[in-house]
């Protein structure tokens, strides 16, 4: 939320793209986003659009919204519809000041960041999430230790055009990961 607020100059209208069904981590993202934006009285969430997990319809809906003068300053993409949203922004030729924030990082999203169609994506360390889960499970099953908590947190870091290459290069250094 704070990242969106700063990116749109602490004022404007924002849309949220969400899933139709309930997925707790996605719902938590939206709750945190709403809570943070509530600190900024000149920012309103004017639309919450819900889509299936496949992100079917995201491109068409976002493009229609942008071309029909929605008055939006930004879009928060809480699930895997970031690429479709970015493509719609490029097609609608939105101003570079228009803010699109989402989650996940791959080569396609990195290209959209470089092109300015995505302002930022939040890296949630999927490699570390997998590694820590396997490590905790192994230690538990081998009788070495009982987990001290049922939840493991990893870092959340915003990725912008000036640091995106640092995150993509990190997997190239691993001998078992093919780029």
């Amino acid at each position: 939320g704070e990242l969106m607020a700063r990116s749109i100059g602490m004022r404007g209208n924002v849309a949220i793209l969400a899933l139709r069904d309930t997925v707790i981590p996605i719902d938590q993202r939206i709750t945190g986003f709403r809570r943070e934006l509530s600190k900024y009285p000149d920012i309103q969430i004017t639309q919450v659009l819900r889509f299936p997990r496949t992100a079917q319809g995201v491109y068409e809906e976002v493009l229609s919204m942008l071309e029909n003068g929605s008055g939006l300053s930004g879009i928060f993409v809480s699930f895997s519809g970031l690429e479709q949203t970015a493509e719609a922004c490029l097609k609608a030729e939105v101003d570079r000041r228009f803010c699109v924030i989402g989650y996940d990082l791959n080569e396609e999203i990195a290209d959209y960041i470089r092109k300015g169609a995505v302002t930022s994506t939040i890296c949630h360390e999927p490699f570390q999430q997998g590694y820590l889960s396997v490590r905790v499970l192994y230690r538990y099953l081998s009788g070495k230790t009982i987990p001290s908590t049922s939840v493991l947190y990893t870092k959340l870091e915003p990725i912008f055009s000036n640091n995106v290459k640092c995150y993509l290069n990190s997997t190239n250094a691993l001998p078992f990961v093919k780029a």
Side-chain angles (χ1 to χ4, degrees):
E2 179 182 357
L3 183 57
M4 176 67 76
R6 289 175 184 238
S7 296
I8 64 173
M10 312 296 191
R11 63 180 336 109
N13 297 325
V14 176
I16 297 175
L17 305 189
L19 288 174
R20 282 190 187 136
D21 50 338
T22 300
V23 177
I24 292 172
I26 303 291
D27 291 345
Q28 289 173 333
R29 290 176 185 176
I30 294 169
T31 299
F33 184 77
R34 286 178 177 274
R35 185 179 306 128
E36 192 61 33
L37 278 191
S38 71
K39 298 174 185 176
Y40 303 93
D42 293 331
I43 298 176
Q44 287 75 43
I45 297 170
T46 56
Q47 298 178 54
V48 178
L49 304 169
R50 299 196 175 274
F51 298 93
R53 291 180 188 225
T54 61
Q56 181 181 358
V58 169
Y59 172 81
E60 294 83 4
E61 188 72 33
V62 170
L63 182 60
S64 174
M65 187 173 51
L66 294 173
E67 290 183 337
N68 293 324
S70 63
L72 291 175
S73 302
I75 299 174
F76 174 62
V77 185
S78 66
F79 71 110
S80 63
L82 188 56
E83 294 169 65
Q84 295 87 339
T85 301
E87 195 58 39
C89 289
L90 288 176
K91 176 74 173 169
E93 298 179 350
V94 295
D95 189 283
R96 285 264 227 197
R97 292 173 292 183
F98 189 83
C99 182
V100 175
I101 296 174
Y103 283 81
D104 297 323
L105 181 63
N106 58 36
E107 283 294 340
E108 291 79 19
I109 292 172
D111 285 340
Y112 288 122
I113 291 171
R114 289 183 198 106
K115 291 176 185 175
V118 172
T119 307
S120 180
T121 188
I122 310 297
C123 180
H124 50 89
E125 295 193 314
F127 179 86
Q128 194 69 358
Q129 289 175 20
Y131 169 77
L132 289 174
S133 301
V134 170
R135 184 172 158 220
V136 167
L137 181 61
Y138 169 77
R139 293 183 74 172
Y140 175 73
L141 292 175
S142 66
K144 292 182 181 174
T145 186
I146 295 174
S148 61
T149 180
S150 63
V151 179
L152 293 173
Y153 292 101
T154 56
K155 294 184 292 185
L156 296 176
E157 297 179 302
I159 299 171
F160 300 95
S161 60
N162 63 347
N163 68 348
V164 69
K165 68 180 179 183
C166 300
Y167 289 87
L168 291 176
N169 288 340
S170 62
T171 57
N172 293 338
L174 302 173
F176 53 87
V177 176
K178 296 197 189 258

